[in-house]
Amino acid sequence: MNRKTRSMLLICALVSFLGFWVENIWLAVTKGYMNNRSMYAPFLLGYGLAVLAIYFLLGTPQKMRFLKWKLPVSHPIRRWLAYYGAACLCVMAGEVALGTFVEKTCGIVWWNYEAIPLHITRYTSLPTSSLFGILITVFMGCFFSRLYKFFCAADSRFWDILAFLLASVMTLDFLGFAWHIGSTRKLRPLWHIAMPWKGPLFHIK
């Protein structure tokens, strides 16, 4: 396997795994439970693909660009702020596009932010987009390049096999989920764990 391809697949898998737990931590705090997020494996492929898309679109905060064109923002702080703003816009656009597409094609509301202040439609809001923008900017600025170099430098068949297996598991799981919601117009609950505190730690009104 090409080392660059392997690195991108492994980063995608890592971010998809982190995305699964980010959503479950949010559920645990705001709802008092965790669940499988309609997946069999603990990966949410949308997160991994979103990070790769942002990389190909914007680069990293240290080398911010738009596609192949370097942006004329030389001051480091301004560049990081510009990257953060662009990441927030990407999150908002992606959430609205994906949520609306699933609602129109499958007849389900995958998530709903209408209880959150400053929501924009039911699928995005300023607070959540700002939070995701921070997480993306920190990850892309502090970890992405290091992980990419590490996975590229790792000279082992193990990493090729791992990248292939993880990519296969995530793809098949996502395709199974897509088929399920398309045919049943329902999410795919498999397990549900109530937190010891038995309720939300804070309420969103």
Side-chain angles (χ1 to χ4, degrees):
M1 180 182 293
N2 181 284
R3 293 192 179 195
K4 293 182 179 180
T5 301
R6 172 223 291 166
S7 298
M8 290 299 179
L9 290 177
L10 289 172
I11 290 173
C12 180
L14 174 62
V15 174
S16 298
F17 178 77
L18 294 174
F20 178 87
W21 291 109
V22 164
E23 289 204 2
N24 265 306
I25 290 170
W26 174 258
L27 277 180
V29 172
T30 60
K31 303 293 185 181
Y33 64 84
M34 293 183 176
N35 63 30
N36 66 296
R37 310 309 298 138
S38 292
M39 297 294 168
Y40 284 105
F43 300 97
L44 294 180
L45 183 57
Y47 283 83
L49 293 178
V51 163
L52 295 186
I54 288 175
Y55 172 71
F56 287 115
L57 183 67
L58 301 175
T60 63
Q62 293 88 345
K63 298 180 179 180
M64 187 178 179
R65 54 182 167 76
F66 180 73
L67 297 176
K68 295 182 179 181
W69 297 280
K70 184 178 179 180
L71 299 181
V73 184
S74 58
H75 194 280
I77 295 179
R78 292 177 182 173
R79 191 168 59 246
W80 277 72
L81 290 175
Y83 193 96
Y84 165 71
C88 290
L89 291 176
C90 288
V91 170
M92 295 176 71
E95 285 190 315
V96 171
L98 179 60
T100 303
F101 174 79
V102 172
E103 182 179 358
K104 297 297 184 183
T105 56
C106 302
I108 64 172
V109 177
W110 199 350
W111 67 90
N112 193 334
Y113 290 158
E114 288 180 324
I116 298 177
L118 303 177
H119 67 272
I120 304 171
T121 76
R122 69 180 67 184
Y123 293 116
T124 194
S125 74
L126 292 181
T128 54
S129 296
S130 299
L131 177 59
F132 278 122
I134 291 172
L135 293 175
I136 290 169
T137 302
V138 170
F139 179 82
M140 298 302 290
C142 300
F143 300 103
F144 186 93
S145 295
R146 290 183 174 90
L147 287 168
Y148 182 79
K149 290 177 182 178
F150 173 79
F151 290 135
C152 278
D155 188 15
S156 172
R157 186 71 172 172
F158 166 79
W159 295 107
D160 287 341
I161 295 172
L162 181 63
F164 176 78
L165 289 177
L166 290 176
S168 299
V169 168
M170 291 189 300
T171 301
L172 292 174
D173 197 17
F174 179 79
L175 291 176
F177 164 71
W179 177 85
H180 178 84
I181 61 172
S183 58
T184 67
R185 297 185 178 271
K186 295 179 182 179
L187 295 176
R188 190 172 59 176
L190 299 173
W191 53 264
H192 179 102
I193 301 174
M195 294 296 99
W197 50 85
K198 299 185 187 300
L201 294 180
F202 68 87
H203 294 270
I204 298 176
K205 296 182 179 180

